[in-house]
Amino acid sequence: MSFKIVLLLLLPTISMAKTYDQFALKISGGASINLAKGNASDEIPSAGFGATTEVGYKYQNTEINLVSFLNYTHAKRLGIISNGSQVHGDGRFRSVSFGPLLRYYSAYEVIRKWNFSFHISPLIGIQTMRYRYPTVTGGNYQGNHKITTEGMGGALGLGLEKYSNDKNKHTFIMLSYKFIRSARVTEIGGTETAVQRIHRHSYNTAVEEHSIYLGFGGVIF
Amino acid sequence: MLTSKRCTWIILFTSLCLPLICNGSEEEQSGPKQYRYTYIDREHSLGEDIAHLGILYPLGWIGYYITQKSTFNNVGSWETYKDNFGRLVFDKDEPLWNWLVHPMSGSQMYLYFRANGYSRLAALRMTAIEGAIFEFTTEIWTEKASVQDLYQTPIFGSLLGLVVETSSMALLNSDNSALKIIGHIINPATLFWFYEGKVLVTPNLSRDTASMEAFIEF
């Protein structure tokens, strides 16, 4: 039974060929659950909002896009080592990732005109943590500075796509798991208009970000 | 009493006046001329693409100098330019720059290309190219090229540009002069000679026909 389901999901259909084959810009917005594990301590999972933008080309039942994932949460009890200090506390956590995305549209219709899709994407990303009243142990970290971490990872997930011959009526629901492992930690000071790099260091792992994103979107043009 | 003379006059009078009464005025009635703002997409040659990119390039330098004069003078130098050339990093800028300034500049680039007859996707493509040229050859005067700016300038700029495009068209096509001024302010590309979407519309009304004449300048 499982083999037959997999075969149905992979078979292209005539209806696929009738849908649009061309470039498109797509966006989605929704909710995300984030867990960022710092190299000083663990964090409690937190909920926030997320968004994606994609631009690329769809050919029959395959799509290749350039994608960005955005997650914004209020992190709790996240610990990071920066500039010789163990910094621990709550604050605003923002994650932005970019990369190519490959999506495959299945022939299996869940309900009328809604089909499954699968996507996979290698990513590079930057995470920004701005602490609010952190606990600082040792080192030279200044409490009003933000900490950024940079790393690589990927995303995979599935979606439900509502098809139409008109590209602009294409809508979708997207469920995606994203993982970013960051190694480079930078402490940033300065002002809003002129940032200043205070300290930078690379670790084996500084922050591991796991997030699950559920969004709803469509084609813009 | 109807005499033959009176009948003759009645017949003459009726034969002369009846056509006028039935046809109304034979001359066409035209309403006041008015412009309708829209976007008319067309194909562009490679030469046109390069020319438009070339027009925007020096404007990027001028805008960069005007908006960041102190950074331009204090941080920028030819040594910095050479060190930063060809390098790509994640920038650490505040959201003000990545989420507001770059999308705003991207939106105006998008609207410039739209005014010159590019389709929405073509305008996005040209904005991405122009944004990349700015990142790798202009902004490196003071800092390395940024991954976020490369992506967000054309993508979020096009999204914001689409919002401004739709809003400005509604404002420009309203009958309110104040709203028309606001439409031009938020979409300044509609003020210039290169804007290709200004259509002169002349209503044309007569007894038998009602039509609109549209005169489109290229």
Side-chain angles (χ1 to χ4, degrees), chain A residues 46-221:
Chain A
S46 59
F49 74 85
T52 67
T53 60
E54 299 179 41
V55 60
Y57 187 78
K58 179 177 173 295
Y59 178 70
Q60 293 190 356
N61 56 346
T62 307
E63 193 174 87
I64 183 155
N65 294 333
L66 202 55
V67 67
S68 79
F69 287 88
L70 165 68
N71 298 96
Y72 190 87
T73 62
H74 183 79
K76 295 178 182 176
R77 288 167 34 185
L78 175 62
I80 303 175
I81 298 174
S82 174
N83 201 2
S85 305
Q86 280 199 15
V87 187
H88 189 262
D90 304 349
R92 293 186 305 222
F93 184 85
R94 186 174 67 241
S95 171
V96 182
S97 313
F98 305 94
L101 180 142
L102 182 66
R103 177 178 282 112
Y104 177 81
Y105 293 92
S106 157
Y108 182 68
E109 279 192 8
V110 179
I111 55 176
R112 188 169 172 268
K113 287 196 177 180
W114 286 86
N115 292 67
F116 269 127
S117 70
F118 309 94
H119 63 266
I120 188 166
S121 170
L123 299 170
I124 57 172
I126 179 170
Q127 301 132 327
T128 304
M129 180 66 183
R130 192 176 284 279
Y131 281 97
R132 186 181 164 91
Y133 310 124
T135 304
V136 183
T137 308
N140 303 305
Y141 173 75
Q142 301 296 315
N144 61 340
H145 292 167
K146 68 182 179 184
I147 296 175
T148 66
T149 57
E150 300 163 46
M152 295 187 298
L156 56 90
L158 48 85
L160 279 175
E161 317 275 336
K162 184 176 181 184
Y163 270 106
S164 170
N165 290 337
D166 181 356
K167 175 181 79 166
N168 294 316
K169 293 180 181 174
H170 183 121
T171 54
F172 61 90
I173 298 170
M174 180 178 179
L175 178 67
S176 193
Y177 163 74
K178 186 183 79 171
F179 167 73
I180 298 286
R181 181 171 154 271
S182 298
R184 180 186 287 179
V185 179
T186 309
E187 181 181 337
I188 301 293
T191 64
E192 197 174 69
T193 54
V195 295
Q196 185 185 7
R197 190 177 79 191
I198 306 300
H199 183 264
R200 174 185 284 176
H201 191 79
S202 290
Y203 300 89
N204 283 336
T205 301
V207 172
E208 269 188 17
E209 179 197 352
H210 304 263
S211 68
I212 296 175
Y213 166 75
L214 177 64
F216 177 77
V219 172
I220 300 300
F221 57 75

Side-chain angles (χ1 to χ4, degrees), chain B residues 31-127:
Chain B
K33 291 181 182 177
Q34 56 182 329
Y35 286 98
R36 178 157 185 83
Y37 289 83
T38 183
Y39 284 103
I40 300 168
D41 300 343
R42 63 174 177 87
E43 295 295 320
H44 294 77
S45 65
L46 179 62
E48 281 183 288
D49 291 347
I50 294 172
H52 285 299
L53 293 172
I55 290 168
L56 288 181
Y57 184 68
L59 295 178
W61 276 100
I62 294 168
Y64 190 46
Y65 178 76
I66 291 172
T67 56
Q68 297 190 64
K69 197 171 181 180
S70 62
T71 307
F72 194 96
N73 291 327
N74 299 331
V75 178
S77 68
W78 284 114
E79 285 301 315
T80 306
Y81 194 91
K82 283 187 290 185
D83 288 341
N84 292 338
F85 189 80
R87 300 179 70 177
L88 184 63
V89 298
F90 280 110
D91 72 47
K92 312 299 186 294
D93 293 340
E94 288 295 311
L96 168 73
W97 296 103
N98 289 338
W99 297 103
L100 186 65
V101 174
H102 275 274
M104 280 178 64
S105 58
S107 71
Q108 292 304 315
M109 280 194 271
Y110 167 89
L111 290 167
Y112 168 83
F113 289 113
R114 288 287 284 143
N116 280 280
Y118 287 82
S119 68
R120 287 173 177 167
L121 277 169
L124 187 155
R125 183 191 78 232
M126 294 299 289
T127 304

Side-chain angles (χ1 to χ4, degrees), chain A residues 3-82:
Chain A
F3 173 73
K4 289 179 185 175
I5 291 173
V6 168
L7 198 60
L8 279 172
L9 290 171
L10 291 175
L11 277 175
T13 64
I14 297 171
S15 64
M16 290 285 170
K18 288 182 183 174
T19 58
Y20 66 89
D21 286 340
Q22 55 184 293
F23 288 97
L25 173 64
K26 305 161 73 169
I27 66 170
S28 76
S32 69
I33 297 174
N34 274 54
L35 174 67
K37 301 169 72 172
N39 54 1
S41 69
D42 289 349
E43 181 212 331
I44 300 172
S46 59
F49 74 85
T52 67
T53 60
E54 299 179 41
V55 60
Y57 187 78
K58 179 177 173 295
Y59 178 70
Q60 293 190 356
N61 56 346
T62 307
E63 193 174 87
I64 183 155
N65 294 333
L66 202 55
V67 67
S68 79
F69 287 88
L70 165 68
N71 298 96
Y72 190 87
T73 62
H74 183 79
K76 295 178 182 176
R77 288 167 34 185
L78 175 62
I80 303 175
I81 298 174
S82 174

